[in-house]
Amino acid sequence: MLSGCGAPRPEQVVRLEADNPRRPIGRPPLGIDINLRSLPVPPTPERVRLGRWLFFDRRLSRDGTISCATCHQPAHAFSQTTPVATGVGGAAGTRKVPTIINLAIPNRWSSFKDAPVGAYFWDGRARTLEAQALVPIAGASEMGNPHPEMVSTLSRVQGYGPYFAQAFGDARVTRERVARAIADYERTRMSGNSAFDRWQRGQGTVSDSVRRGFDLFTGTAGCAACHTPPLFTDGTFHNLGIGWNPDTRSFTDEGRYAVTKDSVFEGDPGSFKTPTLREVSRHAPYMHDGSIPTLRDVVEFYNRGGIANPDLDDRLRRRGRLGLTPGDANDLVSFLVSLEGTGWQDNGPSLFPQ
């Protein structure tokens, strides 16, 4: 049902708001130094509450079957356990669903001066979280709903009017307001307070295997060069050789290059954004195409030095084979599992404005 007949009854409003209450903007979890109140336009409790409804509302899709959360699944740290997503009408995507956690301040800890500030999706084609929120809604293989149609549908849901008014000053539904509300909800999905974080601050212990894995991660294996703590990403793009066809000397997916057509700085063919490793154990398979089944397989992939191609990342090219033992691989996986944290969990609302 898209709309009710007249204003909702007071008891309906009480149940609706109890199911999705307006919450203060909280502190980030241990290990994540992101002060949301310091952003140029800080999230507000009203926009976050509205965005939470919109993120989980299937009415944003063309046929009312898919929400943002259908692919960015809360149970899997807002990612998915399939190689690629499935959109409206069973349309298959081409890339693994990336997590949305810890995106409040992109690239803040980047070790690269030329890293793009604001680069979302595997290929960095969206410059803001607001732009990122809008792309899947209209994407033909995703939610398949042109933005004017999405706005029209939401405008007919009378129950949303008061909450748009609380969030933005009046009840108008626009694509910009939808994007801002969803983005502000996404900004609150932060992961920290992991066993690793508590150990690093002297508030807990980890196993010897995790300790050895962290030493390898920051040392011999060289993982931290791109998966830079504390977000465990450098926010920029690297070519690992995934999807390289030596016969055609081309990539199945050109990644960042398809966006920039620039192979000088950040747009080598086959380059994709470094994903965060926080909560990485919750959403196998891995890589931009979901082609590597397990974390142990990912470690072995790097142990082999990636896949040779003309634009292979310089770090991989220089290091070559890592020479890790099976025990080393086990320790690295133990460390990655220790990055499971708190602060992002949310099952979503069960009631929606009508």
Side-chain angles (χ1 to χ4, degrees), residues 159-221:
Y160 264 129
Y163 299 106
F164 272 87
Q166 287 180 17
F168 297 104
D170 62 64
R172 287 184 304 117
V173 178
T174 69
R175 71 172 193 168
E176 291 80 11
R177 289 178 170 187
V178 170
R180 170 60 60 141
I182 292 175
D184 274 353
Y185 170 70
E186 291 178 338
R187 289 183 174 101
T188 67
R189 300 302 92 202
M190 292 185 280
S191 171
N193 192 34
S194 66
F196 167 79
D197 295 307
R198 295 191 295 274
W199 168 55
Q200 287 287 286
R201 286 154 182 79
Q203 299 179 16
T205 61
V206 293
S207 68
D208 289 342
S209 181
V210 170
R211 292 171 186 263
R212 290 192 300 267
F214 180 59
D215 288 342
L216 287 164
F217 187 90
T218 56
T220 304

Side-chain angles (χ1 to χ4, degrees), residues 36-341:
L36 295 179
R37 288 185 286 270
S38 71
L39 296 180
V41 183
T44 67
E46 293 78 13
R47 287 203 303 271
V48 171
R49 174 165 69 175
L50 175 60
R52 184 172 183 249
W53 271 319
L54 295 171
F55 188 91
F56 287 90
D57 196 333
R58 296 173 183 265
R59 290 172 293 188
L60 270 68
S61 65
R62 183 183 70 219
D63 58 5
T65 63
I66 290 176
S67 70
C68 303
T70 301
C71 296
H72 295 283
Q73 297 172 359
H76 302 292
F78 290 90
S79 180
Q80 205 172 39
T81 57
T82 56
V84 297
T86 301
V88 292
T94 60
R95 293 176 179 169
K96 170 76 179 186
V97 175
T99 181
I100 63 165
I101 63 169
N102 291 344
L103 294 181
I105 303 179
N107 309 317
R108 179 174 177 179
W109 291 278
S110 174
S111 59
F112 291 85
K113 292 182 180 179
D114 61 350
V117 177
Y120 299 93
F121 297 108
W122 284 103
D123 56 15
R125 66 189 183 274
R127 301 290 292 177
T128 66
L129 264 180
E130 284 76 11
Q132 175 272 326
L134 287 173
V135 170
I137 293 173
S141 63
E142 296 173 275
M143 297 168 77
N145 203 11
H147 296 148
E149 296 300 321
M150 178 266 294
V151 169
S152 177
T153 297
L154 291 178
S155 296
R156 294 196 301 272
V157 182
Q158 294 180 8
Y160 264 129
Y163 299 106
F164 272 87
Q166 287 180 17
F168 297 104
D170 62 64
R172 287 184 304 117
V173 178
T174 69
R175 71 172 193 168
E176 291 80 11
R177 289 178 170 187
V178 170
R180 170 60 60 141
I182 292 175
D184 274 353
Y185 170 70
E186 291 178 338
R187 289 183 174 101
T188 67
R189 300 302 92 202
M190 292 185 280
S191 171
N193 192 34
S194 66
F196 167 79
D197 295 307
R198 295 191 295 274
W199 168 55
Q200 287 287 286
R201 286 154 182 79
Q203 299 179 16
T205 61
V206 293
S207 68
D208 289 342
S209 181
V210 170
R211 292 171 186 263
R212 290 192 300 267
F214 180 59
D215 288 342
L216 287 164
F217 187 90
T218 56
T220 304
C223 313
C226 299
H227 292 284
T228 312
L231 294 186
F232 293 92
T233 174
D234 61 10
T236 190
F237 306 87
H238 301 279
N239 174 315
L240 312 178
I242 298 291
W244 172 250
N245 185 328
D247 295 327
T248 62
R249 298 189 63 78
S250 63
F251 284 94
T252 305
D253 185 338
E254 290 190 320
R256 183 66 174 163
Y257 182 76
V259 176
T260 66
K261 298 299 181 184
D262 178 5
S263 61
V264 176
F265 296 107
E266 61 181 37
D268 286 336
S271 294
F272 293 86
K273 186 178 178 182
T274 305
T276 180
L277 296 182
R278 287 188 179 270
E279 310 300 339
V280 69
S281 58
R282 300 184 190 273
H283 49 76
Y286 301 103
M287 304 301 179
H288 70 272
D289 59 354
S291 61
I292 299 186
T294 70
L295 281 176
R296 178 60 184 265
D297 293 324
V298 172
V299 172
E300 294 298 345
F301 171 83
Y302 283 108
N303 198 21
R304 295 190 297 271
I307 297 173
N309 70 91
D311 295 298
L312 184 68
D313 186 81
D314 286 342
R315 289 181 178 83
L316 293 183
R317 193 187 307 277
R318 288 194 302 267
R319 285 180 175 273
R321 293 179 178 271
L322 297 178
L324 301 175
T325 68
D328 291 337
N330 290 339
D331 292 339
L332 278 167
V333 171
S334 293
F335 164 67
L336 294 173
V337 173
S338 80
L339 296 177
E340 292 181 354

